[in-house]
Amino acid sequence: MPILTIDNQQIEVLKGTNVLEAAKGLGIVIPHFCYHEALGAVGACRLCAMNFVEGPVKGIQMACMIEAKDEMVITTTDQASQEMRARVIEWLMMYHPHDCPVCDEGGECQLQDMTIAGGHDIRRYGGKKRTYSNQDLGPFICHEMNRCIQCYRCVRTYQDYCGGTDFGVLGTNQRVYFGRFRDGRLESPFSGNIVDACPTGVFTDRTFRYRTRYWDIEEAPSVCPHCSLGCAVIPGGRFRELQRVRGGVNKQTNGFFICDRARFGGGYGNHPERPRVPRVDGAQTTWPEALRALRKRITDLVARHGPGAVAFLGSPRASLEANYLLDSWAASLGSRRIAFDSHWQHDRSARVAAGKLGPRAASLEDIRCSDFILMIGVDPLNEAPMLALAVRQAVRRGVRLAVIDPRPVTLPCAAAHLPLAPEALPDVLEALAGGDIRRLGRREAVLLEGILEQLRAAERPVLIGGPDLLGAAGIERLLDTARLLASEHRPCKVMTVLAGPNSFGCGVLARQGPDFEAILNGMLAGEIKALVCLESDPMTGSSDPARTGMALGKLELLAALDYLPTAAAHHAHLFLPTTAVPESAGVYVNNEGRMLLFSSAMDPGTPISVSGGGDHPPRTFLPATPGSEPRPAWATLGHLQGRRLSLRDIRQAIEMEHPNFAGLSSLTTGGEGKRIADISPPPETAPEIPFPHSEGEGTLRLYAMEDFAGSGELAGYASALAPLRPTPFVMLGALDAKQRSLSDGQQVRLRSELGGVGVALRVVPDLPAGIALVPRLRGTALESYVPGRGHYDCQILSEDEEKT
Amino acid sequence: MKQHEQVLFKNRSPGETAFLETYRKSGGYQGLEKALTKMSPEQVREEVKKSGLRGRGGAGFATGMKWSFFPADKPGEKYLVCNGDEMEPGTYKDREILMADPHQLVEGMIISAYALQIPVGVIFIRYAYEQCSRNLERAIAEAMEAGLLGKNILKSDFSFELHLHRSAGRYICGEETALLNSLEGVRANPRSKPPFPAQKGIFGKPTNVNNVETFANVQHIIAHGSAWFKNLAFTESGSGTKLYCLSGHLERPECFELPIGISLGAVIEEYGGGVWRGRRFKAALPGGASTPYLTAEHLGVGLDFDPIEKAGSRLGTGAVTVFDETTCMVAATLNLNRFFARESCGWCTPCRDGLPFINWLLEKIENGQGEMGDIDMLREQIRNINGRTFCALAMGAMGPMQSLVDLFEEEIIDHIKKRCCPLKT
């Protein structure tokens, strides 16, 4: 490890560290623009000049481009390097419009800071300024090219890191331009990262435009609740409204960047229909009334029908603390009827992952550093977008990626795609785990042999799978495969994509408990009279919404605690409002079993809106903030059990009861989190779980799949994501389309057990025969098609056939 | 006008291009035959090293030395690239070679490929040189036909395929690493060195890049020996001939092949026909737009790498541009700097924005709005651009700029004091 001297202070750094980072280690922050930890050093801005006095290189050098070496003596305070930095800033500011007062970046602008730090004050350049015209980059990002200082960070983020192709550098000399070939929405699902990457106000968040100054926004490190990866985000609120989300840093999960769903999908808590007041039998009431009513009704039911008459449903989007308190409440009542996910396969998959993943769990960082990746039954861009980006980073290094999936798995990188029908996936897993490879077709067998060979040859291979097509049985087999492929000297890691931000935590809590299917049967049989739903909506969350609806209709008491205007919240006899993620603190356990702390960025309240209807200023004055009734679910659940608990108390209790959560109470916000201790001994294997699909014969088999912006429960309530939601469509293989004389883009009729619906047809060349795919799109006719439920028999007819 | 031995211009005749037949008659492809039949690749490299040949593209790096860094003996994908993106202002020597005798480049590249054991070559040629490209296409086709290029050249084990690529036409494409990026189809931004192209060139594979004139000399060295080549020069340190392309205020601004090391004065007077219109000599760029000016006191300097460097400039491409006594050096340098500012690739700040800053300063001075403080500002700009940029483009621009403030400071002061250009009529 080299030891070098910077400004008369010595520092020892890791081999390969650049001098700019080494100086940072000493607290010496030299202005820089083009260097970014995730994007690397490229030596474009020439701002981080330092004077190298002794060592292998001499003179004024760009610190980001020089690797720290022993015996280097460097000064940053000498006249020559200071003059250089001042001149570079002066050059960068030659054409700057000085429009800070109207720039959204003002106050959190690196260019402002670095201009001051660089020592440039008065503009000497008196020539004409270069000006640009801006482009319309769509609903998410504003473009203001005159502020550009050509650090190339945007294009390195968009093209190199995120794999976008519709945005880049145009032109040369002092007229280089960062934009698209022509106006239009940035197509990459990671486009928002250029807002974070841009050191000044060229790219700003359009959804946040002219809303708030940096010093007025309330921010806190949090965790994204949109999928199971647990990316670090920083939500920011003002005027009781969540106004923006920016990427946080967690080197084990997302690194520095986030997807557009995380960034622009934070508005679910602002939803105009969000229920903010406790409600009993349809009438709004006060907290004490509602709590008393709920306690009384449950006590009555237990007295009349026994504790088994009350069932509980936790949630993968509720915090570990809240889920735990729900569990302990059920236990205190004597009810064993608690499930943590209404989607049967998702629930079972989470339990398998929680019980069996162990030290083989791959983090996103492990994936970025891997040397061979096999993805099977997982569609990252739609199910866990940042996974696609992690995979891309490996592929950029030359790592090979194999994808086995019937869906057209679009990725921001090259991959070898083997489109096999869902019913072939168990055989593939079998073959991977050392089973008979001949059960597959000849072509498939040859390809699989190749994949196996590379898997065995790799030093750091990673297997990735998802529950929708593999189901819990497939996830289990994937874990077995990894175990078989691993040796003492060569790990084989696995990532299982789960359904929600806390699915893993729920999987641990669920243990051998019943699943929602059992609870559903109990409700239908009339044994269960009451269901308490914690931040979950079985009406849309379960794999069979129709049957669930019927069961809920039989209940004497449906109680819901939530911050979303869900169907369950709407129909609940008793409703208690909870705080949304940015308004609360808690812990999520992500899909690799990493405990991640999120803290509260803002207090709940109805967002201020300009009414202009003559009611301003208010004539009545309230003692409390309007809409501030929601309380953290954990607080309410503690209250219901008659306990006054702090988060700290709850975490300590969890640690006591579940030793695998050791370290929970010492987690810090903004850190990398802590992987849970592996359960030992592992729980007994769950009952034989069938794969989520049946025979390969019969009519056209329709599978529902996730959509980037259209399927997620939270995303469905985030209005800003609307432009990203597709209009309903169905995908069909080229051969199947030809047999039916259907062509791409045609309007067709999709008929299944769920009824008929008109959708557009997309012909996908290599979709396996006999398979059709629809995205689950909330708020459309495709809402009731649930991914991970198995297949629906369907017919696809042209509209003419439909008439006849 | 004294006649010197013509090597590269042996077959040059006005309005005509020598193709295979003529070329062979004059001894063409004998070097190749000798190399392939009588010499090992190592011997070829050694001969080139002994010849003292220095790169003719501008930097003047010893060719033998450059080749010695190349992993010639390692098998695998390797590339040989000819830099024919001749865009240095005042330079047109490569064009003259390719218009007169294109087979010289083809043969030179085949021998070099043999020496470095490279299977694939690419000629990267300036977009404006369409006739040269056609000449090369014909030469390549002829060589293929005659079994001099392609598989098993002259029935030996050695095979070499040669491609021609027309550049999109930016000055920066002449920078060897930007050229490689351009060949790969990405933006022509220079790459960071190390790794050098010899380690990681096109598509990350070892690549050797030389100039047209450099390659053209190779077969003559092989055919006639390194001692003969060294003897062609005027100076002790130099070797070979050099194509000097004359331009500017001369009676006869043409391209001449002369022994390397001939004096600046001799070139101007004997070959260039003297300064035009009977005017007096004021300054010259000895090697293209990115070399510092030489003045009347340097007329005795031999036009070879080392002597010119001693005089404070560089031989560069050997493109001598002469300025007569009526030239405003501020305006001339501004003109040069505008070129460099326009041709900046836009990657690094001092070049992209610093050169336009200097344009503004010089425009101000030239238009009579300069202030005395501007000279210090100019020096400060030069100080912070020179050697601080990503590649050598801006450094080249600072060549004439530095010599403007060093040699013609009085003239700048004159502009400022008179509040106008004193030479503008």
Side-chain angles (χ1 to χ4, degrees):
Chain A
M1 299 220 296
I3 301 173
L4 65 164
T5 309
I6 306 172
D7 288 344
N8 299 319
Q9 300 174 70
Q10 273 201 347
I11 186 167
E12 186 172 6
V13 293
L14 288 172
K15 196 176 177 299
T17 309
N18 66 50
V19 174
L20 186 62
E21 282 289 339
K24 232 188 243 176
L26 285 169
I28 302 166
V29 180
I30 296 302
H32 59 273
F33 285 118
C34 66
Y35 174 72
H36 184 288
E37 218 179 314
L39 304 173
V42 291
C45 75
R46 318 306 282 179
L47 183 54
C48 60
M50 295 186 190
N51 200 349
F52 288 63
V53 185
E54 294 289 341
V57 283
K58 295 263 170 71
I60 299 288
Q61 301 288 343
M62 301 311 135
C64 71
M65 298 294 281
I66 310 271
E67 191 185 324
K69 290 268 163 68
D70 272 322
E71 277 151 39
M72 276 183 167
V73 177
I74 299 154
T75 130
T76 68
T77 52
D78 65 301
Q79 206 254 331
S81 62
Q82 287 198 40
E83 181 186 82
M84 177 66 186
R85 299 198 294 264
R87 290 292 70 78
V88 172
I89 289 283
E90 180 178 31
W91 288 323
L92 293 174
M93 292 297 289
M94 271 165 75
Y95 314 115
H96 191 278
H98 285 191
D99 59 345
C100 304
V102 295
C103 176
D104 265 322
E105 194 82 3
E108 53 180 336
C109 175
Q110 215 182 336
L111 182 57
Q112 286 180 328
D113 298 348
M114 297 304 177
T115 302
I116 302 302
H120 165 61
D121 39 30
I122 294 178
R123 173 185 275 149
R124 298 183 297 175
Y125 173 71
K128 272 194 178 170
K129 283 189 190 177
R130 164 207 63 204
T131 54
Y132 292 112
S133 25
N134 301 320
Q135 289 181 323
D136 177 1
L137 297 178
F140 297 125
I141 291 162
C142 283
H143 195 211
E144 195 60 61
M145 262 307 288
N146 287 336
R147 297 173 185 152
C148 181
I149 55 159
Q150 288 86 20
C151 67
Y152 288 81
R153 269 198 203 175
C154 55
V155 63
R156 287 188 289 141
T157 303
Y158 195 91
Q159 283 191 348
D160 301 353
Y161 200 94
C162 300
T165 52
D166 60 321
F167 170 93
V169 200
L170 297 95
T172 60
N173 59 51
Q174 86 274 40
R175 300 211 57 88
V176 286
Y177 189 84
F178 299 87
R180 282 169 51 89
F181 187 68
R182 56 170 68 91
D183 287 26
R185 181 166 69 78
L186 289 170
E187 290 160 11
S188 167
F190 307 100
S191 66
N193 288 311
I194 61 174
V195 173
D196 285 353
C198 179
T200 180
V202 180
F203 301 102
T204 48
D205 184 339
R206 191 185 282 279
T207 63
F208 181 57
R209 189 159 226 208
Y210 300 148
R211 306 289 298 277
T212 297
R213 281 293 179 205
Y214 177 61
W215 50 84
D216 286 328
I217 199 161
E218 297 174 280
E219 291 187 324
S222 187
V223 176
C224 176
H226 282 283
C227 77
S228 64
L229 296 177
C231 299
V233 291
I234 304 175
R238 193 190 179 204
F239 295 143
R240 316 194 293 255
E241 177 186 18
L242 183 111
Q243 294 196 331
R244 73 160 178 198
V245 177
R246 54 191 184 101
V249 179
N250 183 340
K251 287 182 189 163
Q252 290 303 319
T253 61
N254 58 317
F256 293 80
F257 302 115
I258 56 172
C259 69
D260 285 357
R261 182 163 75 190
R263 187 180 302 273
F264 303 113
Y268 53 84
N270 301 335
H271 198 279
E273 284 155 33
R274 172 174 171 185
R276 293 175 178 275
V277 184
R279 221 173 49 224
V280 177
D281 297 325
Q284 293 193 348
T285 181
T286 60
W287 269 104
E289 272 308 314
L291 290 170
R292 202 176 308 136
L294 180 56
R295 255 197 307 242
K296 183 172 179 302
R297 290 189 191 192
I298 287 185
T299 320
D300 282 357
L301 281 167
V302 170
R304 275 192 282 137
H305 306 282
V310 185
F312 297 84
L313 179 60
S315 164
R317 68 172 157 92
S319 67
L320 182 66
E321 294 89 338
N323 276 307
Y324 167 77
L325 285 182
L326 188 74
D327 195 27
S328 67
W329 188 24
S332 72
L333 289 171
S335 170
R336 297 277 304 136
R337 289 183 150 150
I338 178 164
F340 293 89
D341 193 335
S342 56
H343 189 295
W344 189 75
Q345 283 288 5
H346 289 171
D347 176 21
R348 285 288 167 198
S349 302
R351 293 191 209 193
V352 169
K356 287 197 147 184
L357 201 50
R360 266 186 284 281
S363 66
L364 287 180
E365 179 65 7
D366 290 329
I367 290 172
R368 289 189 284 264
C369 300
S370 65
D371 65 350
F372 180 77
I373 300 171
L374 170 61
M375 298 199 316
I376 175 159
V378 62
D379 182 10
L381 224 43
N382 289 316
E383 294 172 353
M386 285 306 290
L387 171 59
L389 222 46
V391 167
R392 174 176 163 80
Q393 304 321 308
V395 173
R396 278 177 75 195
R397 285 187 294 108
V399 170
R400 304 186 72 151
L401 164 66
V403 177
I404 303 177
D405 200 299
R407 296 168 289 191
V409 179
T410 7
L411 288 168
C413 58
H417 186 190
L418 180 57
L420 292 182
E423 65 270 9
L425 297 181
D427 290 342
V428 170
L429 287 167
E430 199 70 58
L432 284 171
D436 191 358
I437 208 160
R438 281 166 306 181
R439 283 172 61 186
L440 297 159
R442 233 183 93 182
R443 183 175 153 267
E444 287 76 23
V446 169
L447 289 168
L448 209 60
E449 276 290 350
I451 290 170
L452 262 169
E453 218 161 275
Q454 296 185 55
L455 255 176
R456 288 194 202 103
E459 284 171 20
R460 301 176 304 279
V462 176
L463 309 178
I464 308 173
D468 281 354
L469 291 181
L470 299 184
I475 296 284
E476 189 159 19
R477 228 167 281 181
L478 192 69
L479 297 175
D480 292 342
T481 307
R483 187 169 42 82
L484 286 169
L485 284 166
S487 68
E488 202 182 317
H489 311 290
R490 196 202 71 148
C492 178
K493 294 206 167 188
V494 194
M495 172 168 275
T496 52
V497 171
L498 300 176
N502 204 14
S503 284
F504 195 104
C506 289
V508 177
L509 292 177
R511 285 183 279 191
Q512 301 305 309
D515 52 33
F516 189 67
E517 201 59 27
I519 292 176
L520 205 56
N521 289 335
M523 291 196 292
L524 285 167
E527 294 161 19
I528 294 174
K529 309 284 182 193
L531 179 69
V532 180
C533 299
L534 164 65
E535 294 177 359
S536 63
D537 177 21
M539 309 268 267
T540 58
S542 80
S543 18
D544 194 344
R547 195 154 154 261
T548 308
M550 214 153 69
L552 292 179
K554 293 188 159 213
L555 290 173
E556 275 181 40
L557 171 65
L558 174 63
L561 292 83
D562 213 335
Y563 50 84
L564 293 177
T566 62
H570 183 75
H571 292 293
H573 306 109
L574 228 149
F575 176 78
L576 301 173
T578 62
T579 49
V581 185
E583 303 154 359
S584 38
V587 169
Y588 279 152
V589 187
N590 82 349
N591 64 331
E592 47 149 339
R594 184 175 295 278
M595 299 182 283
L596 298 159
L597 204 65
F598 57 93
S599 32
S600 160
M602 54 192 280
D603 292 329
T606 311
I608 289 179
S609 61
V610 179
S611 58
D615 55 352
H616 188 85
R619 297 289 180 264
T620 50
F621 295 90
L622 304 171
T625 311
S628 64
E629 289 87 348
R631 294 178 182 177
W634 56 265
T636 305
L637 288 164
H639 204 110
L640 283 165
Q641 296 170 60
R643 297 153 76 188
R644 281 201 169 272
L645 296 164
S646 70
L647 275 173
R648 202 183 148 74
D649 300 334
I650 306 171
R651 286 175 194 156
Q652 278 169 351
I654 296 174
E655 274 180 315
M656 291 282 285
E657 198 173 321
H658 300 267
N660 13 21
F661 290 119
L664 180 66
S665 43
S666 54
L667 285 178
T668 50
T669 43
E672 290 184 353
K674 187 174 184 302
R675 239 197 73 76
I676 67 161
D678 300 311
I679 299 172
S680 68
E684 349 156 0
T685 324
E688 191 57 38
I689 312 163
F691 276 89
H693 22 67
S694 42
E695 83 291 341
E697 257 87 275
T699 57
L700 202 53
R701 281 155 296 136
L702 178 74
Y703 290 86
M705 56 186 274
E706 298 279 338
D707 179 73
F708 179 76
S711 305
E713 191 176 19
L714 296 171
Y717 293 105
S719 57
L721 291 177
L724 296 179
R725 290 183 200 125
T727 48
F729 64 90
V730 61
M731 288 191 266
L732 200 59
L735 214 67
D736 282 326
K738 204 176 162 197
Q739 276 173 1
R740 290 167 176 75
S741 312
L742 299 174
S743 52
D744 190 54
Q746 188 180 342
Q747 201 64 26
V748 294
R749 195 83 192 154
L750 173 70
R751 265 199 261 169
S752 77
E753 62 196 75
L754 300 181
V757 50
V759 288
L761 180 73
R762 285 192 195 174
V763 176
V764 179
D766 52 2
L767 199 66
I771 304 285
L773 295 169
V774 283
R776 180 182 205 193
L777 295 174
R778 286 178 188 263
T780 74
L782 297 181
E783 172 156 4
S784 34
Y785 290 91
V786 183
R789 173 260 190 205
H791 78 250
Y792 302 83
D793 287 327
C794 81
Q795 282 178 296
I796 295 177
L797 308 166
S798 73
E799 293 207 309
D800 305 341
E801 280 176 281
E802 173 72 12
K803 276 172 202 140
T804 58
Chain B
M1 188 159 69
K2 196 180 157 207
Q3 281 300 321
H4 294 281
E5 180 169 357
Q6 298 293 287
V7 179
L8 301 173
F9 280 172
K10 189 163 35 179
N11 293 327
R12 190 192 194 207
S13 98
E16 275 179 56
T17 306
F19 283 102
L20 191 59
E21 208 186 320
T22 327
Y23 183 63
R24 285 202 121 155
K25 272 185 200 152
S26 68
Y29 287 107
Q30 280 172 12
L32 176 64
E33 204 173 329
K34 184 175 166 190
L36 284 181
T37 54
K38 299 193 180 111
M39 295 169 84
S40 69
E42 201 185 344
Q43 281 171 324
V44 176
R45 297 202 295 269
E46 193 51 38
E47 197 65 26
V48 170
K49 194 170 188 175
K50 274 199 295 189
S51 76
L53 173 65
R54 290 178 71 168
R56 303 297 199 229
F61 196 78
T63 307
M65 178 88 89
K66 191 177 204 172
W67 286 12
S68 71
F69 301 141
F70 191 82
D73 300 325
K74 274 200 196 133
E77 215 177 306
K78 289 179 279 188
Y79 294 95
L80 186 68
V81 173
C82 170
N83 185 347
D85 192 67
E86 186 172 54
M87 276 189 72
E88 181 71 21
T91 311
Y92 52 98
K93 60 188 181 64
D94 297 345
R95 181 186 73 195
E96 294 300 303
I97 296 177
L98 298 176
M99 290 302 282
D101 206 359
H103 272 285
Q104 288 188 102
L105 173 61
V106 176
E107 189 186 354
M109 283 189 77
I110 305 171
I111 298 177
S112 307
Y114 173 69
L116 298 170
Q117 292 295 294
I118 296 174
V120 182
V122 184
I123 301 170
F124 186 92
I125 194 157
R126 181 177 169 186
Y127 81 106
Y129 285 1
E130 185 49 35
Q131 189 54 48
C132 298
S133 304
R134 287 184 198 164
N135 291 350
L136 274 173
E137 274 163 352
R138 180 167 157 192
I140 291 170
E142 283 178 343
M144 291 281 284
E145 180 85 1
L148 299 161
L149 187 59
K151 285 228 177 315
N152 300 96
I153 295 171
L154 294 172
K155 303 199 170 66
S156 71
D157 289 342
F158 179 66
S159 301
F160 179 59
E161 57 177 272
L162 186 55
H163 303 271
L164 182 76
H165 178 93
R166 288 166 172 84
S167 157
R170 301 300 308 189
Y171 179 68
I172 193 65
C173 294
E175 203 279 342
E176 86 177 336
T177 57
L179 184 152
L180 300 179
N181 273 341
S182 178
L183 263 180
E184 283 186 16
V186 297
R187 279 177 69 83
N189 292 134
R191 297 177 183 177
S192 159
K193 289 188 276 193
F196 289 90
Q199 275 76 50
K200 269 188 162 185
I202 320 180
F203 306 114
K205 305 297 175 197
T207 303
N208 183 73
V209 187
N210 285 119
N211 172 255
V212 174
E213 190 185 344
T214 314
F215 277 127
N217 273 309
V218 170
Q219 79 270 18
H220 299 294
I221 295 169
I222 298 305
H224 305 291
S226 54
W228 163 84
F229 188 73
K230 261 195 98 59
N231 275 335
L232 291 171
F234 260 5
T235 43
E236 191 65 24
S237 60
S239 55
T241 61
K242 177 80 192 79
L243 304 185
Y244 294 103
C245 3
L246 311 189
S247 62
H249 301 154
L250 289 170
E251 288 294 346
R252 204 163 42 238
E254 291 168 22
C255 185
F256 300 95
E257 180 174 16
L258 299 170
I260 205 162
I262 189 169
S263 75
L264 174 63
V267 169
I268 292 173
E269 289 306 322
E270 280 182 48
Y271 299 92
V275 178
W276 73 350
R277 298 175 190 171
R279 291 183 190 159
R280 279 192 309 174
F281 173 86
K282 184 171 185 180
L285 293 165
S290 47
T291 55
Y293 295 113
L294 293 180
T295 55
E297 62 172 307
H298 301 119
L299 285 170
V301 171
L303 291 180
D304 187 8
F305 295 98
D306 297 340
I308 298 195
E309 223 151 281
K310 262 183 221 137
S313 187
R314 292 188 302 114
L315 178 62
T317 58
V320 180
T321 308
V322 173
F323 301 93
D324 72 18
E325 58 185 327
T326 67
T327 315
C328 167
M329 295 315 286
V330 175
T333 316
L334 172 60
N335 182 45
L336 292 176
N337 200 62
R338 279 182 178 147
F339 170 82
F340 289 112
R342 190 191 77 204
E343 292 299 333
S344 166
C345 76
W347 179 249
C348 75
T349 311
C351 178
R352 181 189 61 237
D353 295 329
L355 299 183
F357 193 104
I358 290 184
N359 276 345
W360 167 70
L361 268 179
L362 290 184
E363 276 162 16
K364 214 165 91 138
I365 294 168
E366 177 64 12
N367 295 336
Q369 290 142 7
E371 292 152 50
M372 288 307 283
D374 290 351
I375 301 178
D376 279 344
M377 218 198 284
L378 187 56
R379 284 188 190 279
E380 165 217 79
Q381 294 290 316
I382 297 168
R383 189 165 63 235
N384 286 292
I385 294 175
N386 224 347
R388 310 273 171 88
T389 49
F390 192 86
C391 79
L393 189 148
M395 215 145 82
M398 290 306 100
M401 197 62 63
Q402 183 72 56
S403 57
L404 173 76
V405 291
D406 288 349
L407 305 172
F408 301 101
E409 191 178 3
E410 287 302 311
E411 201 174 312
I412 306 175
I413 295 172
D414 220 22
H415 275 78
I416 296 170
K417 285 202 172 142
K418 291 193 174 128
R419 306 207 67 80
C420 69
C421 173
L423 287 142
K424 208 177 247 171
T425 44

